[in-house]
């Protein structure tokens, strides 16, 4: 609302809308979630930056698979936005070698980010019988990250989070209780009670702890995904 006219910002692509919520949801579930979908497994694998993740074809395809198959179906109509063009622009942005956004920064304070960026997407897809495979792998990777705090080469990963002690406490019990991490109800709510999610999560957690090879797991999921095959 402007008291005396407004600048012609629409001439350079600005949209004036009555409700910003659909646009905010799009940004959170694609851009912000996309960062975490790259950063958490990227840290475990040993990629130092987001653009390094994007230079890895498995990571870039995994991120786009997540956006197309799991995030996009949860979005409300976003007037004036072509979602394919927007997602393409995110891939270009994440790939920019001049930004060098560190995976450590992306992984920091994940307990404050993921409930909005990712968990709401998981809940939406579970309610509607859609895929949660990509998201479950990221949650499993976050558990491993919070527990072991090392990449595949044994290099230490600093857990930067206001809840780092409790995250480590719940994650470190995974070897004796595969669902331990999900029992942190202040973050995950009742997700541990959803058998659709826990069955997928258990498979990923057990394999990741056994192999320590998140990239191969991502590649396998891509090969099995109907979206990627089509």
């Amino acid at each position: 609302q402007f008291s005396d006219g407004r600048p012609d910002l629409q001439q350079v692509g600005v949209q004036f809308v009555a409700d910003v919520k659909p646009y905010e949801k799009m940004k959170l579930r694609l851009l912000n979630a996309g960062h975490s979908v790259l950063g958490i497994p990227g840290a475990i694998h040993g990629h130092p930056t987001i653009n390094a993740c994007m230079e890895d074809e498995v990571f870039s395809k995994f991120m786009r698979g997540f956006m197309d198959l799991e995030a996009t179906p949860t979005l409300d109509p976003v007037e004036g936005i072509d979602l394919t063009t927007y997602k393409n622009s995110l891939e270009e942005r994440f790939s920019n070698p001049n930004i060098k956004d560190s995976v450590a920064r992306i992984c920091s304070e994940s307990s404050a980010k993921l409930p909005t960026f990712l968990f709401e997407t998981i809940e939406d897809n579970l309610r509607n019988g859609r895929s949660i495979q990509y998201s479950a792998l990221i949650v499993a990777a976050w558990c491993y990250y919070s527990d072991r705090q090392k990449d595949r080469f044994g290099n230490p990963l600093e857990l930067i989070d206001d809840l780092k002690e409790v995250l480590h406490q719940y994650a470190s019990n995974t070897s004796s209780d595969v669902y331990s991490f999900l029992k942190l109800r202040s973050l995950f709510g009742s997700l541990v009670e959803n058998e659709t999610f826990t069955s997928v999560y258990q498979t990923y957690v057990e394999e990741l702890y056994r192999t320590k090879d998140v990239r191969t797991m991502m590649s396998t999921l891509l090969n099995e995904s109907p979206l990627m095959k089509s």
Side-chain angles (χ1 to χ4, degrees):
Q1 302 294 325
F2 292 85
S3 62
D4 188 20
R6 59 172 171 77
D8 291 331
L9 296 176
Q10 73 274 13
Q11 298 298 324
V12 290
V14 175
Q15 292 177 246
F16 291 88
V17 299
D19 184 6
V20 75
K21 290 180 182 178
Y23 302 86
E24 182 182 37
K25 181 190 282 189
M26 176 189 72
K27 184 256 187 185
L28 292 172
R29 297 193 182 188
L30 292 175
L31 189 156
N32 296 107
H35 263 149
S36 295
V37 165
L38 290 171
I40 293 173
I44 296 171
H45 186 68
H47 287 316
T49 60
I50 292 299
N51 65 287
C53 292
M54 290 297 291
E55 290 167 7
D56 185 328
E57 186 178 33
V58 169
F59 276 76
S60 62
K61 286 185 175 181
F62 184 90
M63 192 269 292
R64 186 58 184 251
F66 162 79
M67 290 198 298
D68 288 345
L69 191 62
E70 296 190 6
T72 299
T74 73
L75 301 180
D76 302 318
V78 191
E79 184 177 352
I81 297 292
D82 182 289
L83 287 176
T84 297
T85 300
Y86 179 67
K87 287 181 283 189
N88 290 344
S89 74
L90 294 183
E91 289 185 311
E92 182 178 358
R93 171 178 172 171
F94 293 168
S95 300
N96 189 335
N98 297 309
I99 296 178
K100 299 188 187 303
D101 200 358
S102 71
V103 297
R105 186 191 76 81
I106 296 300
C107 293
S108 67
E109 304 302 338
S110 286
S111 67
K113 299 173 181 176
L114 293 184
T116 300
F117 298 172
L118 187 65
F119 298 170
E120 291 182 2
T121 295
I122 293 172
E123 292 168 1
D124 193 319
N125 285 328
L126 285 170
R127 282 194 301 270
N128 291 281
R130 295 188 294 254
S131 169
I132 45 84
Q133 303 281 334
Y134 291 80
S135 300
L137 180 48
I138 297 304
V139 176
W142 188 34
C143 173
Y144 184 89
Y145 178 96
S146 301
D147 178 8
R148 299 300 172 86
Q149 300 179 45
K150 292 180 180 180
D151 66 18
R152 65 190 175 108
F153 303 110
N155 299 315
L157 298 171
E158 184 180 4
L159 181 56
I160 304 171
D161 200 296
D162 285 346
L163 297 182
K164 64 180 181 180
E165 293 180 1
V166 69
L167 288 171
H168 178 67
Q169 175 188 346
Y170 277 78
S172 64
N173 290 325
T174 298
S175 296
S176 57
D177 177 2
V178 71
Y179 302 133
S180 176
F181 194 53
L182 298 181
K183 292 178 180 178
L184 181 51
R185 288 182 178 269
S186 61
L187 285 180
F188 295 105
S190 60
L191 191 59
V192 70
E193 298 169 10
N194 188 292
E195 294 182 3
T196 300
F197 183 84
T198 56
S199 63
V200 177
Y201 172 83
Q202 178 175 353
T203 298
Y204 287 147
V205 162
E206 290 176 344
E207 185 174 355
L208 184 53
Y209 272 73
R210 179 176 59 84
T211 67
K212 304 177 178 63
D213 189 354
V214 70
R215 185 180 185 275
T216 294
M217 293 171 61
M218 295 163 74
S219 179
T220 299
L221 175 54
L222 286 170
N223 291 333
E224 293 174 348
S225 171
L227 185 68
M228 296 295 106
K229 290 178 179 178
S230 60

